[in-house]
Amino acid sequence: MQPSCTYLTSIIILFFGQQQQAFPAIQVTGFLHQPVCLAGGSRSELSSVQTINWHKGGQTILQYDNNETESSVIFPKYKEHVSYIVENNSLLIHQLNLQDEGEYKITITLQVGIEKVTFINLTVLVPVTEPRITVQTQDPPHPKLTMNCTVNNGSNPKFSWMKDNKTLLTDRQFQLSTDHRTLGIINLTSSVCGTYICSVQNPVNKVKVQQLITNKHFQECSQPFRPGQRQVLGVTVAVLCVMGFIAVFLAIKKCKEQRRELRLRENLSGEEDQFEEDEIQNEDSQPNMSSSGEGTQRCLYTYLQFIPSSTNQEDQDPSYYYTIGPQV
């Protein structure tokens, strides 16, 4: 009876082991020089656990024994680099390095003697370094300009190009390689000249570099700018609009000055006419003033520009009034 139980237990262990090996590994991604936690199970699964072993590349990282003291032992090579969390059977790596990348094997032995194996595949992503652009030119009869964007380090870098802060699309003139690292330009004209930007990114970071294409690379960049018909038409219309505005402004200003001058002349002409009338009246009254006292009074009234309210005042002495004007 004992051999049958042993044989049955071996079959169960083999069956569960094969089933576990069929499951794909758990994929975990971490960033270089950053912490990461590798989870190997929950507390409920650990209630019937006897031992737990973490391995990497054939080397044992730690051992856990679910005895009365629930002790865990981390091997000296990893003691300062990792910590073990018993509650959820997790391995905490404090600061990732490239050597931490790879497959981790967690072997859990249950109290009934069954082993459960879990695999975790850890990928360490490295930030991309600052890119660098190299420029190559090909002389006629098939002129071509080629720019290569490269980085020294970086996990899974993705490349993209811009020209004068606009996304560069591939066409018959601008040609990109499959990985977008290389930009080839044919049909070199002055429109090719400008500032090119190569951007490189991955899940960790993004960096970019600029490259200015000038007449140092090909002579077409040194040719003067030749505006098109639309540009010439736009400039002409703008100039005509400005000239028309100035002409209208000057015409309005001149009209206002003419009106102001005309009003001034009318005012001066009215004052001169009034002055002439006063002079004529004075000249007409001068001979009568020497003939009699009545003429004197009239001259005085005329000069003072008022008429006595009563005829009885005519007999009064002219000295009764203020003497204003020429003495008689």
Side-chain angles (χ1 to χ4, degrees), residues 123-246:
T123 302
V124 179
L125 294 180
V126 179
V128 292
T129 58
E130 184 177 357
R132 183 170 58 93
I133 296 178
T134 57
V135 182
Q136 298 176 351
T137 55
Q138 184 176 339
D139 297 332
H142 301 290
K144 183 178 180 180
L145 187 141
T146 304
M147 286 183 282
N148 296 304
C149 186
T150 57
V151 292
N152 293 330
N153 292 312
S155 302
N156 303 321
K158 294 183 179 180
F159 296 80
S160 61
W161 291 84
M162 297 179 68
K163 180 182 182 296
D164 298 330
N165 294 324
K166 295 181 180 180
T167 302
L168 190 63
L169 302 177
T170 57
D171 55 17
R172 300 179 64 178
Q173 186 178 18
F174 298 93
Q175 302 172 353
L176 290 173
S177 61
T178 305
D179 56 3
H180 289 193
R181 293 174 182 260
T182 303
L183 172 63
I185 306 174
I186 60 176
N187 189 20
L188 301 180
T189 61
S190 58
S191 62
V192 174
C193 308
T195 302
Y196 291 81
I197 300 175
C198 174
S199 300
V200 188
Q201 65 179 350
N202 66 1
V204 184
N205 65 334
K206 178 180 180 179
V207 291
K208 59 180 64 177
V209 66
Q210 294 184 356
Q211 176 64 51
L212 182 63
I213 300 300
T214 63
N215 56 357
K216 295 180 180 179
H217 302 95
F218 61 96
Q219 60 184 3
E220 282 76 4
C221 287
S222 61
Q223 293 181 358
F225 174 71
R226 296 179 181 178
Q229 293 182 354
R230 292 184 179 180
Q231 294 172 330
V232 172
L233 180 61
V235 173
T236 304
V237 171
V239 172
L240 291 177
C241 289
V242 173
M243 293 178 63
F245 176 78
I246 294 175

Side-chain angles (χ1 to χ4, degrees), residues 246-263:
I246 294 175
V248 172
F249 175 77
L250 293 177
I252 295 175
K253 183 178 180 181
K254 185 175 181 181
C255 182
K256 290 183 178 180
E257 290 178 352
Q258 289 178 352
R259 289 182 180 179
R260 191 181 299 109
E261 185 178 356
L262 180 60
R263 290 177 182 176

Side-chain angles (χ1 to χ4, degrees), residues 18-80:
Q18 290 177 350
Q19 288 294 100
Q20 185 63 36
Q21 292 290 342
F23 291 126
I26 301 173
Q27 302 295 327
V28 178
T29 301
F31 300 152
L32 185 66
H33 305 313
Q34 299 294 327
V36 67
C37 187
L38 306 179
S42 62
R43 180 71 177 177
S44 59
E45 295 176 349
L46 300 178
S47 59
S48 59
V49 168
Q50 181 65 39
T51 60
I52 299 176
N53 292 280
W54 281 74
H55 305 273
K56 180 181 182 296
Q59 296 181 355
T60 303
I61 301 174
L62 66 88
Q63 290 180 344
Y64 169 78
D65 191 359
N66 189 15
N67 51 24
E68 295 180 358
T69 59
E70 294 187 354
S71 61
S72 59
V73 177
I74 300 176
F75 281 67
K77 181 180 178 180
Y78 300 94
K79 194 169 185 179
E80 300 297 330

